[in-house]
Amino acid sequence: MNKEFLIQVHNRVKPYIHKTPVLSSKLINEMAGCNVFFKCENFQKMGAFKMRGAANAILNLSEEERDKGVVTHSSGNFAQALSLAANKIGVEAYIVMPENAPQVKKNAVKGYKGHVIESESTPIAREQMAEKVKQETGATFIHPSNDDDVIHGQGTAAIELLEEYPELDYIFTPVGGGGLVAGTALAAKYFSDTCKVIGGEPKNADDAFRSKQSGKIEYNDVVNTIADGLRTFLGDRNFPIIMNDVERIILVEEEDIIEAMKLVWERMKIIIEPSSAVAFAALLKEKEKFKNKDVGIIISGGNVDVTNLPF
């Protein structure tokens, strides 16, 4: 792994993604006490950063593998990302989704020509169904966050941010399955001498925080957070990167997440999902530590159920 390798990854995915804008707000800078630069992946194709990793993973397959398609299990943004990336590249995508996933998400996957296969909602049931599809079709399984190609692809958002703002002191990202924060940490390591990466995580889903403390992957028994995209666990591919290259993880309360989300909607006039607001909430929670610094925040996505807003 080196800078040249990550440049190749970025060049590979560029034709399939948007170079998203970086926005800032004078008022938010005053509130936070630092210069905040929002990398707006809510404007990415299918509305989230996950398009980057999905495209990179599919583009790295051999012709023979592409002919047989790809399979994943996801109820959220990766389901849509893999479907759209596969559609653009000309590959079949089989998406295992829990039967209780919102119909709007199933429809979005179908809209991108993905094949929806329903399973029971438990993680084990989803994995078993994905394995069954893999056996029947010969499709290659691509994990939403615990896959090297996915991790490297997700890091391209931070590469673009650092190309525009090379003097950043910190980049904040939300932490769910760990793909984004790990990819961001690799980008910061090879594209900056000084930039540190910090994760934001809901206190109600603090498995990554506990994992970083204990040195082994921890799990949550019950997860009840508005940040529904962050309910997943770390994996063996991203966890070592998080241990080595992520400075720390800051926990935030549910009301912090809602307040941060509301603030961005009101002040910046952009739609971000609760999971995205976690990174900004983490900065606000400990803003004294980042006084007068230059801080990047990856707004991970904007796929919100607007009929069910928390404010």
Side-chain angles (χ1 to χ4, degrees), residues 90-261:
V91 172
E92 297 292 326
Y94 303 95
I95 314 294
V96 175
M97 302 184 78
E99 55 202 1
N100 61 356
Q103 193 59 44
V104 64
K105 291 189 175 178
K106 292 176 189 170
N107 292 346
V109 169
K110 290 173 184 170
Y112 296 136
K113 306 289 189 286
H115 305 283
V116 174
I117 299 108
E118 296 195 7
S119 76
E120 289 176 31
S121 62
T122 66
I124 289 169
R126 293 207 277 186
E127 283 171 21
Q128 286 173 341
M129 184 60 81
E131 183 58 35
K132 183 169 179 261
V133 173
K134 183 180 159 184
Q135 297 299 336
E136 287 173 1
T137 61
T140 300
F141 177 71
I142 297 176
H143 193 281
S145 54
N146 195 43
D147 175 290
D148 291 350
D149 293 330
V150 171
I151 293 165
H152 299 152
Q154 313 306 29
T156 60
I159 291 172
E160 290 174 7
L161 179 56
L162 285 164
E163 281 176 346
E164 246 179 282
Y165 295 95
E167 303 304 312
L168 288 179
D169 299 298
Y170 296 93
I171 298 177
F172 280 69
T173 85
V175 184
L180 177 61
V181 76
T184 301
L186 290 175
K189 184 175 180 175
Y190 293 108
F191 286 80
S192 170
D193 296 327
T194 54
C195 184
K196 295 183 172 74
V197 171
I198 292 178
E201 189 175 41
K203 196 172 181 185
N204 288 1
D206 66 350
D207 53 292
F209 177 84
R210 289 184 288 113
S211 301
K212 198 148 168 57
Q213 284 190 319
S214 71
K216 66 182 201 298
I217 297 173
E218 305 282 354
Y219 301 92
N220 295 315
D221 293 331
V222 181
V223 178
N224 183 19
T225 176
I226 189 173
D228 60 340
L230 308 184
R231 291 175 181 165
T232 41
F233 307 117
L234 305 180
D236 62 340
R237 304 309 302 163
N238 57 51
F239 181 54
I241 302 167
I242 292 165
M243 283 301 291
N244 290 329
D245 300 314
V246 173
E247 178 82 357
R248 54 190 286 247
I249 293 170
I250 296 173
L251 297 178
V252 293
E253 306 284 353
E254 293 299 293
E255 53 267 33
D256 300 332
I257 301 169
I258 294 166
E259 196 49 47
M261 180 178 171

Side-chain angles (χ1 to χ4, degrees), residues 4 6-16 59 156:
E4 195 51 49
L6 291 176
I7 289 170
Q8 286 172 3
V9 170
H10 193 204
N11 288 337
R12 187 182 303 125
V13 302
K14 268 180 187 173
Y16 299 94
L59 290 165
T156 60

Side-chain angles (χ1 to χ4, degrees), residues 13 56 74 112 167 272-273 310:
V13 302
N56 190 47
S74 165
Y112 296 136
E167 303 304 312
I272 71 168
E273 59 193 65

